[in-house]
Amino acid sequence: MAIKDISREVLETIKKMKITPKPRWEFLLKNYIIWALGVLALVIGSLATAVIIYMTINNDWDLYQFSGNGVFGYLFLSLPYYWLLALSLFILTAYYNIKHTDKGYQYDLRLIIALSVGISVVSGILFYNFGLGKAIDNIFARNISVYRNYIHRNPGLWFSPDRGILTGEITEIEEEQRVILRDLRGKNWDLFFDIGVFKFQPEFLLGNRVITIGEILSETEFRVKAIRPWVRDMMFGPGPNPMNKMRK
Amino acid sequence: MITNGDCRDKTDSQLVSLTLKNQDYFLCIIKRYEDKLLRYIRRISGLSREDAEDVLQNVFIKVYRNLNSYNQDLKFSSWIYRIAHNQVISEFRKKKARPELLSSKESELIFEFIESDLNTEKEVELKLLKKDINKVLNRLEEKYREVLVLNFLEEKSYQEISDILKKPIGTVATLISRAKNAFKKEISKQDIF
């Protein structure tokens, strides 16, 4: 069989099919987009870290004894897993993008992951200090019901009337010291507040989900020693801060 | 028309720049690399000469199309080998080909390089051994065979192999070391020593 004249065939194909080199800007743009996506993933990962720090610090540590799980059990149950998952995904996205840049292959997997984690943690601490962790958590909690109900706080951890934790929505306010709460299972409770626990303005409370700490008085009655909003940053109006009461 | 004289004394990078201005200069690049790449493609693939030539044609067309993506920080030869390597992988996928046996001359060459690492005190009957080297090499996993071919037959440095295979240099070193170990293991399995 005759040996092909490859050079001739290649040049003929190029001319016949009018093949031209792709413009340089196309490659540069692709590379910039990959870098930009990698950096964006790192920024979002850092924001996720800020929320994780905020949620971990503001984890109602003073209430852990009511959960009946001990400090570590409480920590385990209340860790912000969805945010940790989001952080992992963005770190992987950053890794994937950096790996696919022009020279990304030269870097070791462990180095890129360690750098991505390091950058996310350091920037996450900075973002947390600027208040971004709190802001993001609250924006999500106020505007996304799934987030508010399942991610912002773990309902499984905050519903245990026998242990003195009752969570639900305030559906009715009859008078200043008597309030009706529909718990997470749909049961109605009469709440009786200890004097001085919480001087609220009803319009701030009605329709909101709250966590109450206290004890069961009867089948449908619950004595409230402290109350705090389900959404951490929600204001109940003027009056003593229920958090202070709990800490005493 | 471009002649050999126009190509001689020009570096690869210069030829890339010239080709981008005048496509006829691409002939210089083809002439400079066609034999090397054809040999390389055949060494790492299970393709016949005719199929390998088809692959090579596609390699050159890809090279031409992507000339503007060539980064001068990289050796041109590493870049063009990388395109050839990727093209072979895609042909593998298309044709589901099996790697062909290396020629016994090539196998012996690899053996001579690895032999110095074997550290055996036993007498080796080279004549007998060389017959089996081919089998040994072809029993190795694809990734090991590939680095042995690049390192010992194509005489590429670790850095160049890293650029061709797009793997970190540490990974290349590990692969080569494992390839040598796998090679020794295969030999001992066959009771050659």
Side-chain angles (χ1 to χ4, degrees):
Chain A
M1 186 178 280
I3 293 172
K4 264 190 188 175
D5 184 349
I6 291 174
S7 51
R8 191 178 52 82
E9 288 195 21
V10 169
L11 288 176
E12 270 178 15
T13 308
I14 287 172
K15 280 180 181 155
K16 203 167 121 194
M17 297 178 74
K18 293 182 178 153
I19 295 170
T20 53
K22 288 185 202 165
R24 186 157 184 77
W25 65 262
E26 257 185 48
F27 299 103
L28 290 174
L29 182 68
K30 187 182 161 204
N31 208 33
Y32 290 147
I33 288 173
I34 292 172
W35 267 112
L37 289 175
V39 170
L40 182 68
L42 277 180
V43 171
I44 298 176
S46 304
L47 290 172
T49 308
V51 179
I52 290 167
I53 296 170
Y54 169 70
M55 288 178 86
T56 307
I57 290 175
N58 296 281
N59 196 22
D60 300 313
W61 290 104
D62 51 333
L63 299 185
Y64 85 86
Q65 70 265 30
F66 293 100
S67 73
N69 295 301
V71 181
F72 291 110
Y74 181 74
L75 177 68
F76 183 73
L77 287 168
S78 60
L79 277 175
Y81 289 105
Y82 288 97
W83 282 106
L84 286 168
L85 181 69
L87 173 62
S88 313
L89 284 178
F90 285 115
I91 284 176
L92 283 179
T93 309
Y95 163 75
Y96 179 85
N97 281 287
I98 292 168
K99 203 74 185 164
H100 282 82
T101 55
D102 251 3
K103 293 182 181 171
Y105 66 90
Q106 294 175 351
Y107 310 118
D108 189 62
L109 163 81
R110 286 162 297 184
L111 178 73
I112 298 180
I113 296 278
L115 265 178
S116 305
V117 171
I119 291 171
S120 298
V121 169
V122 172
S123 329
I125 291 170
L126 280 175
F127 287 165
Y128 168 75
N129 282 316
F130 291 140
L132 288 178
K134 180 180 178 179
I136 293 167
D137 182 47
N138 284 312
I139 289 169
F140 276 41
R142 284 167 190 273
N143 298 302
I144 304 169
S145 65
V146 175
Y147 184 88
R148 179 168 55 246
N149 295 334
Y150 300 102
I151 300 173
H152 183 69
R153 288 184 199 269
N154 176 359
L157 193 62
W158 295 111
F159 185 71
S160 182
D162 295 342
R163 291 205 189 95
I165 304 179
L166 182 63
T167 298
E169 185 185 324
I170 302 293
T171 55
E172 222 178 307
I173 298 173
E174 291 177 352
E175 52 192 76
E176 194 171 305
Q177 293 301 318
R178 188 157 177 256
V179 173
I180 307 292
L181 175 142
R182 188 171 59 234
D183 74 18
L184 297 178
R185 291 183 186 151
K187 180 181 169 182
N188 283 334
W189 295 80
D190 281 345
L191 301 185
F192 295 93
F193 289 86
D194 275 4
I195 291 170
V197 166
F198 188 53
K199 286 179 184 167
F200 56 86
Q201 294 195 346
E203 63 268 25
F204 289 110
L205 194 53
L206 194 64
N208 285 322
R209 188 188 271 195
V210 293
I211 300 170
T212 62
I213 309 297
E215 59 185 357
I216 293 175
L217 296 175
S218 72
E219 190 69 14
T220 56
E221 292 176 327
F222 194 83
R223 181 179 159 216
V224 179
K225 294 175 181 171
I227 184 168
R228 64 185 58 183
W230 180 260
V231 177
R232 288 189 180 92
D233 201 34
M234 194 167 274
M235 294 291 290
F236 278 170
N241 184 346
M243 306 280 277
N244 295 340
K245 172 78 182 174
M246 283 306 300
R247 288 188 187 112
K248 278 176 190 168
Chain B
M1 188 70 192
I2 300 296
T3 62
N4 277 346
D6 296 317
C7 307
R8 213 176 298 135
D9 302 330
K10 299 230 166 31
T11 65
D12 288 343
S13 293
Q14 285 171 330
L15 287 176
V16 169
S17 305
L18 287 167
T19 304
L20 285 168
K21 287 175 198 147
N22 174 3
Q23 76 176 187
D24 290 341
Y25 273 98
F26 195 49
L27 181 70
C28 301
I29 294 176
I30 299 176
K31 287 286 176 205
R32 195 170 281 184
Y33 281 98
E34 67 180 330
D35 289 343
K36 290 179 192 169
L37 288 181
L38 186 64
R39 211 168 43 231
Y40 173 62
I41 289 167
R42 296 199 67 201
R43 277 169 173 166
I44 63 164
S45 73
L47 302 172
S48 63
R49 184 181 172 93
E50 294 73 46
D51 283 343
E53 283 174 345
D54 289 344
V55 174
L56 184 60
Q57 249 181 278
N58 292 335
V59 168
F60 281 125
I61 287 170
K62 238 180 206 172
V63 167
Y64 184 68
R65 260 189 223 280
N66 292 289
L67 266 187
N68 268 317
S69 78
Y70 167 60
N71 179 345
Q72 309 239 345
D73 295 343
L74 200 69
K75 270 180 97 171
F76 182 80
S77 68
S78 300
W79 184 74
I80 203 169
Y81 265 76
R82 181 194 292 172
I83 292 176
H85 170 258
N86 291 341
Q87 191 63 31
V88 167
I89 289 175
S90 88
E91 291 293 328
F92 261 126
R93 284 185 195 136
K94 263 191 244 163
K95 304 194 177 191
K96 291 181 180 166
R98 295 288 309 149
E100 71 173 15
L101 296 181
L102 293 172
S103 73
S104 39
K105 205 174 174 189
E106 288 172 338
S107 300
E108 283 170 27
L109 196 56
I110 289 185
F111 172 72
E112 278 164 26
F113 281 110
I114 297 176
E115 188 199 9
S116 55
D117 284 0
L118 286 176
N119 280 334
T120 177
E121 289 176 5
K122 290 187 180 179
E123 286 288 319
V124 181
E125 290 178 36
L126 269 179
K127 248 186 181 177
L128 177 70
L129 181 59
K130 282 175 182 173
K131 279 184 196 166
D132 296 313
I133 296 304
N134 213 352
K135 275 195 239 161
V136 172
L137 277 170
N138 287 292
R139 249 179 229 157
L140 294 182
E141 277 181 62
E142 204 44 40
K143 58 182 180 183
Y144 294 150
R145 237 173 74 95
E146 192 169 61
V147 286
L148 290 179
V149 166
L150 280 169
N151 195 205
F152 298 113
L153 297 180
E154 302 295 332
E155 297 178 346
K156 299 290 180 194
S157 68
Y158 282 20
Q159 182 59 59
E160 287 171 304
I161 298 173
S162 157
D163 292 333
I164 292 167
L165 301 179
K166 291 188 97 176
K167 290 183 193 298
I169 205 159
T171 307
V172 169
T174 309
L175 269 176
I176 290 176
S177 158
R178 284 186 187 158
K180 285 178 185 171
N181 286 335
F183 183 88
K184 290 177 204 173
K185 219 172 178 180
E186 266 313 316
I187 285 178
S188 61
K189 257 193 218 164
Q190 300 199 6
D191 288 333
I192 290 172
F193 290 108

